[in-house]
Amino acid sequence: MTSQTTIDKTGPGGTAPSAPSDRSPASGLRGHPWFTLITVAVGVMMVALDGTIVAIANPAIQSDLKASFADVQWITNGYFLALAVSLITAGKLGDRFGHRQTFLIGVVGFAGASGAIGLSDSIALVVTFRVLQGLFGALLMPAALGLLRATFPAEKLNMAIGIWGMVIGASTAGGPILGGVLVEHVNWQSVFFINVPVGILAVALGVVILLDHRAALGRSPENGYSAPRSFDILGIALLSAAMFCLVWALIKAPEWGWGAGTTWTFVLASVVGFALFAFWETKVKEPLIPPALFRSVPLSAGVVLMVLMAIAFMGGLFFVTFYLQNVHGMGPIDAGLHLLPLTGMMIVGSPLAGAMITKLGPRVPLAGGMAAVAVAMFGMSTLDAGTGSGLMSLWFALLGLGLAPVMVGATEVIVGNAPMELSGVAGGLQQAAMQIGGSLGTAVLGAVMASKVDSDLAGNWKDAGLPELTPTQLDQASEAVQVGVPPVAKGTPEAIVAKITDVAHDTFVSGMSLASLVAAGVAVVAVLVALLTKRGENAEAGAGVGHI
């Protein structure tokens, strides 16, 4: 492996040098730091919003397109997986060809894919265009951060990144509410069509405001930056294959069986893929993820923390929407409003968490935040079909309060602990960790839910005195119950309908409770991981220096 040389970026007396000439204050709109922040925030908002807005639309999509439970999972998993696998590569594309161009291409492609989803009439097309959404979103996200770093002076960069992070947090949390309004008053297609005008606005602003910083990216290594000259194609292929095999095995295991040879073939293929990827990264000249990054224990802990947080959050949120709509019978808007405590606490808690992290460092706020997430997920495991809104709101609010410091502190922990010449890759890695965690969370907790429903449904059905089901009927009933829908045939007497509904809801809640307990366990592990984090050496002095 050809290692990258760490460049001394300090001036006389060990102080940080002044920003390079390409970072001089811009005149007018072009390159103006705060207008640049507004522009990239509009684009990033689309990507972050789509991560959760679809959760509210999933029941409507499933019903309209007659999709299976696994199909609905892939609406989320396909998006997150494509986004996660492509982020590091997309960051290098921005370094090579310019973040402005990469950002604009990402916005156009993301908006176009969104419009195509709205026009789709099959679940296969929806999933296909969701994957394209993820690929274009991957171009957009690291380019946005790269533009901020190239535009803002060092002393104001942390504030800009903090606002950027708040936009992501608020959009992620606000997705279910906006999704509820659109699904209930328009249709599920509008959840995707809304990205088209937002994308047009982002492109218009980008053409007028964003400044191309490729001149800064072309500096020689002697000036502190070595531009990428090649791309790790084999590394990309190995990581993509390994992730696909892992998630596919987790999703299909309830159907194939956890002890089936097919399931473990995919698991083994995933392990082999990750091992080959890790080996190859030590040999290739310009690796997709430089192994040198992981020599920092705090940085590695930050990446693991992001994965664990996303598993608990995204995986748990996937079931909450079905619980509110199919078990409690809420409409999409009402379901979104019931998640308002989660949204509100993430928005309110983000600036408070930022101030706390600045004062205390990341370790205590991150550990405390994940502890709150663990308690909230444990509380959610106690929910049942008759739980009132007040108790639900308590656990949702605590979840939002716990997530805020993790969202805000991730950039400082991961990027701040990376060498400056690798900070762009570290920024992409931070986003990739969250997206991979979200994909794994949906798959892992979905597998837990499916297994619990499969194991409990037949017994609960028999205990209720309902007519015995054939194996085929039981499989069909189990698939419906996994999303909280009672498997009631037309013409069934009302007394029997009531019994089936009780069995379906009780079985669904038992599955959701087990999944929530697993999420709580993941959050407890994340508390321990958070204790390994610390403020990065590059978090302050290095933030505004160098190629980004």
Side-chain angles (χ1 to χ4, degrees):
M1 171 182 170
T2 303
S3 60
Q4 298 192 41
T5 303
T6 301
I7 306 299
D8 182 4
K9 300 178 183 64
T10 58
T15 58
S18 59
S21 58
D22 61 287
R23 295 167 63 87
S24 58
S27 58
L29 291 177
R30 177 76 70 180
H32 189 285
W34 295 108
F35 286 123
T36 297
L37 175 59
I38 292 172
T39 301
V40 300
V42 173
V44 165
M45 181 176 63
M46 285 196 308
V47 182
L49 197 64
D50 253 56
T52 54
I53 192 173
V54 179
I56 284 289
N58 276 337
I61 296 174
Q62 182 193 31
S63 175
D64 187 32
L65 300 182
K66 306 298 186 292
S68 67
F69 180 65
D71 289 336
V72 173
Q73 282 187 306
W74 269 106
I75 294 174
T76 300
N77 286 333
Y79 174 78
F80 279 136
L81 195 57
L83 185 63
V85 171
S86 306
L87 275 165
I88 306 297
T89 306
K92 290 195 174 184
L93 283 171
D95 287 343
R96 178 87 177 264
F97 299 110
H99 291 299
R100 178 179 184 268
Q101 285 76 5
T102 308
F103 178 84
L104 292 175
I105 292 171
V107 170
V108 171
F110 193 92
S114 299
I117 293 173
L119 297 173
S120 299
D121 59 1
S122 72
I123 193 66
L125 285 176
V126 170
V127 172
T128 298
F129 287 119
R130 280 287 279 173
V131 170
L132 286 177
Q133 261 193 328
L135 293 174
F136 283 110
L139 288 175
L140 194 160
M141 292 289 276
L145 186 55
L147 285 164
L148 292 183
R149 293 190 173 192
T151 303
F152 276 85
E155 66 273 12
K156 293 184 179 179
L157 182 60
N158 286 334
M159 183 186 301
I161 292 177
I163 296 173
W164 179 79
M166 284 183 60
V167 169
I168 293 177
S171 300
T172 299
I177 296 177
L178 179 59
V181 172
L182 292 174
V183 171
E184 188 162 320
H185 287 288
V186 189
N187 50 39
W188 67 260
Q189 288 90 342
S190 62
V191 166
F192 299 100
F193 283 141
I194 194 174
N195 287 332
V196 177
V198 174
I200 292 173
L201 174 62
V203 170
L205 290 172
V207 169
V208 174
I209 293 170
L210 298 182
L211 184 64
D212 188 355
H213 290 276
R214 273 188 293 177
L217 301 182
R219 290 196 299 274
S220 66
E222 289 75 15
N223 287 327
Y225 178 69
S226 179
R229 293 175 299 279
S230 63
F231 296 101
D232 183 11
I233 302 299
L234 181 57
I236 294 170
L238 288 172
L239 182 60
S240 301
M243 283 300 305
F244 174 83
C245 289
L246 175 62
V247 176
W248 185 251
L250 290 169
I251 288 177
K252 299 297 287 185
E255 176 184 336
W256 293 337
W258 286 99
T262 308
T263 301
W264 286 101
T265 297
F266 275 93
V267 171
L268 181 61
S270 174
V271 172
V272 171
F274 282 122
L276 290 174
F277 172 74
F279 175 76
W280 172 250
E281 295 303 275
T282 66
K283 302 298 181 183
V284 66
K285 183 178 180 181
E286 294 193 30
L288 179 63
I289 303 177
L293 278 175
F294 298 103
R295 293 173 188 167
S296 166
V297 172
L299 183 147
S300 300
V303 173
V304 174
L305 179 64
M306 286 299 299
V307 173
L308 296 177
M309 180 278 295
I311 288 174
F313 174 41
M314 299 298 185
L317 187 65
F318 181 79
F319 296 107
V320 167
T321 56
F322 289 110
Y323 170 74
L324 294 175
Q325 294 188 58
N326 293 340
V327 175
H328 278 272
M330 298 179 188
I333 292 180
D334 198 14
L337 290 175
H338 272 72
L339 290 172
L340 190 58
L342 169 63
T343 308
M345 291 310 297
M346 287 185 69
I347 295 173
V348 172
S350 293
L352 296 177
M356 188 182 302
I357 290 170
T358 299
K359 184 177 181 179
L360 303 176
R363 184 175 298 163
V364 173
L366 290 178
M370 289 312 306
V373 171
V375 174
M377 295 310 300
F378 177 79
M380 289 170 62
S381 74
T382 66
L383 301 179
D384 57 37
T387 300
S389 299
L391 187 57
M392 281 190 281
S393 296
L394 172 64
W395 300 127
F396 295 160
L398 184 60
L399 179 60
L401 187 63
L403 290 169
V406 184
M407 295 284 193
V408 174
T411 299
E412 181 179 14
V413 171
I414 298 176
V415 178
N417 281 287
M420 278 309 302
E421 66 269 22
L422 298 178
S423 58
V425 174
L429 185 61
Q430 181 259 342
Q431 286 294 313
M434 183 173 177
Q435 306 307 330
I436 290 173
S439 180
L440 287 175
T442 304
V444 170
L445 298 187
V448 170
M449 160 68 84
S451 295
K452 180 64 173 175
V453 169
D454 285 345
S455 66
D456 289 0
L457 182 58
N460 293 344
W461 192 276
K462 182 178 180 180
D463 292 343
L466 293 168
E468 186 176 352
L469 298 175
T470 66
T472 301
Q473 289 174 327
L474 186 60
D475 288 342
Q476 294 173 342
S478 178
E479 189 169 291
V481 172
Q482 287 171 23
V483 292
V485 175
V488 178
K490 290 184 178 180
T492 304
E494 286 190 17
I496 301 298
V497 169
K499 285 186 176 183
I500 293 175
T501 299
D502 288 342
V503 168
H505 290 171
D506 289 343
T507 306
F508 171 86
V509 167
S510 69
M512 188 181 75
S513 295
L514 180 59
S516 298
L517 285 174
V518 172
V522 170
V524 169
V525 174
V527 172
L528 302 177
V529 174
L531 296 176
L532 300 175
T533 64
K534 68 176 183 179
R535 192 190 305 275
E537 295 177 0
N538 302 318
E540 295 180 6
V545 182
H547 70 285
I548 49 179

